[in-house]
Amino acid sequence: MVQAIENRTDLEGIVTRRGPDPDREAYDLLDVDVELAASVEGYADLLSSRAGGRVAVSVRRELLPEGSLDGARVRLRARLAGPGVVMADADPKAVSVVPPGSPPSTLEL
């Protein structure tokens, strides 16, 4: 079994789809068009290269508002947890959702 290196990247973008994560109970998958990505001090940055693309991120459902998030801006700290698996940190301070049309931030989580 290959163990992933400790990594974290701050991501920000627009949610294009929300649905239940088929592999993790109590998690939703958010498809995010990543606009901004920033490394996190002290961690390897394995996700900044995804800026400008779409990423599916698994997020604990309890950290998200209910209902559709289409068009909402999401800011989160994430990690590459395995091949093709991106997970948001479970810390409530590491995930925020703001209404559609909100301007980009400076990625300060």
Side-chain angles (χ1 to χ4, degrees), residues 43-103:
Y43 291 96
D45 177 358
L46 302 182
L47 295 172
S48 281
S49 64
R50 306 282 183 98
R54 183 168 290 169
V55 176
V57 183
S58 186
V59 183
R60 287 190 62 79
R61 192 171 296 124
E62 67 189 29
L63 300 178
L64 300 169
E66 295 206 13
S68 173
L69 297 179
D70 291 358
R73 179 170 297 281
V74 65
R75 299 172 184 136
L76 47 85
R77 181 158 290 167
R79 65 186 168 88
L80 186 61
V85 178
V86 178
M87 302 283 299
D89 278 5
D91 181 351
K93 295 177 189 172
V95 176
S96 68
V97 179
V98 293
S102 298

